[in-house]
Amino acid sequence: MKATGCRWEPDPWQGVACRVEMMMPGHGRQTVDVGGVGNVECRPQSGGVELVMANRAAGGEVRVTTWLGVTESVLHVAVRAVELPDNARLESIQYPFRTPYLETGKDLGYVAVPSHEGCLIPTGPVKLGTTDFWHWEDVRHSRSSSYREAMSTMPFYGGQKDGLGYTAILETTDDFDFEYLINSNFQHAFDASGKQSPYPYIACAWPVWLAQKGKLGYERRMRFEFATGLDYVGMAKAYRKEALAQGHLVTLREKAKARPQIDRLAGAPYLAYYAGYPH
């Protein structure tokens, strides 16, 4: 709020802060939501606050310990520990869950996600010509409006409304997926009962922290950088700084020093031949 004058809200559907997926002998795969009202213990610490969230599951209690800290216009987030019932194997932790979000048709902007070469999820009608972006209307009534990205090209995403937005950068990048809601109200979950979804349409992205051999394995960290006048180019530049700081950024000029033939790419024609199977 202080950095951008824009308020970003948590999960508007069920008020869930965190979701845990696990395998439980005798019960199979279980999904447990933790962090609801009355099930969060706050422990103030130097520079931030530790949150202990809990809920009951088949076989025992699930507890997740996270940490939040604010430095100027940056929110730091960490998942520190996960405690499961005996013999349960962790599959993933989704935190922060379904947040921050944009409400479709109300918060006019978009969520930028690293799907393939990059993609925008607009939350209102837009004029994009023939560009193959995710259209705000096309999939929101179907199961496709909820999507898990298992092969993200880069560990960041972002969102903005009226130029006020954030860039979410994953700092631990080895074991993660992304989850996207593409202007969804999860109507497909209510179709069998013939009911209308009670949830508002929203667009958002959030991280899915994958387990290591049935356990958390190590602390997972990310941060949200809030800014004014932000667009998807600004989000990409924010991550570029992170890639440079981590030594992951290699420019085309640097690549050409090692492989001079790369210089031939500039201005070269791109030819692609597509044919039906069998080729």
Side-chain angles (χ1 to χ4, degrees):
M1 286 280 297
K2 291 181 180 179
T4 66
C6 176
R7 184 180 178 90
W8 293 93
E9 299 285 353
D11 172 36
W13 289 356
Q14 299 163 307
V16 174
C18 177
R19 173 164 286 177
V20 175
E21 297 172 309
M22 64 181 185
M23 292 295 295
M24 187 70 187
H27 299 281
R29 185 182 182 90
Q30 287 194 62
T31 299
V32 183
D33 293 338
V34 298
V37 176
N39 292 310
V40 180
E41 177 187 353
C42 298
R43 300 172 178 173
Q45 296 183 343
S46 177
V49 60
E50 188 175 73
L51 306 176
V52 180
M53 302 174 287
N55 200 359
R56 299 291 299 178
E61 188 177 59
V62 175
R63 293 167 61 89
V64 179
T65 302
T66 66
W67 181 85
L68 300 174
V70 176
T71 305
E72 296 180 346
S73 60
V74 179
L75 172 64
H76 301 274
V77 178
V79 180
R80 288 183 165 177
V82 180
E83 301 172 54
L84 303 178
D86 292 340
N87 300 319
R89 286 181 56 86
L90 181 66
E91 294 283 316
S92 70
I93 309 101
Q94 301 181 42
Y95 182 82
F97 183 56
R98 280 201 295 250
T99 185
Y101 72 91
L102 282 78
E103 185 172 343
T104 304
K106 179 180 178 181
D107 299 324
L108 299 183
Y110 53 78
V111 178
V113 297
S115 181
H116 299 282
E117 295 180 1
C119 187
L120 300 184
I121 307 171
T123 53
V126 292
K127 296 180 179 180
L128 296 175
T130 57
T131 305
D132 187 21
F133 284 22
W134 269 335
H135 300 293
W136 80 290
E137 180 68 35
D138 290 352
V139 301
R140 69 178 185 150
H141 298 291
S142 72
R143 184 178 295 273
S144 299
S145 63
S146 177
Y147 181 75
R148 179 169 292 191
E149 181 78 70
M151 297 292 290
S152 300
T153 53
M154 287 177 286
F156 83 99
Y157 59 94
Q160 70 93 4
K161 46 188 177 182
D162 297 323
L164 308 175
Y166 68 89
T167 306
I169 298 174
L170 276 59
E171 298 172 339
T172 50
T173 61
D174 289 331
D175 304 283
F176 77 93
D177 289 344
F178 281 134
E179 193 88 19
Y180 308 142
L181 286 176
I182 310 169
N183 298 300
S184 174
N185 69 347
F186 232 62
Q187 178 59 48
H188 62 273
F190 298 88
D191 287 344
S193 61
K195 296 180 179 179
Q196 179 69 33
S197 169
Y199 305 139
Y201 287 98
I202 61 174
C204 60
W206 66 92
V208 181
W209 306 106
L210 305 178
Q212 277 197 331
K213 299 181 179 180
K215 298 181 180 180
L216 179 64
Y218 58 95
E219 181 177 288
R220 312 304 175 89
R221 299 185 306 276
M222 67 179 300
R223 68 180 186 270
F224 292 85
E225 299 182 357
F226 295 89
T228 59
L230 187 68
D231 60 10
Y232 59 89
V233 176
M235 298 172 196
K237 287 183 176 180
Y239 174 67
R240 190 181 192 275
K241 292 180 181 178
E242 172 73 4
L244 182 61
Q246 298 299 324
H248 300 319
L249 180 66
V250 181
T251 67
L252 194 61
R253 184 176 290 107
E254 291 171 327
K255 292 177 182 178
K257 290 181 180 178
R259 299 178 60 195
Q261 61 269 38
I262 287 178
D263 282 332
R264 298 173 60 190
L265 291 175
Y270 170 71
L271 301 178
Y273 179 73
Y274 301 95
Y277 183 85
H279 302 295

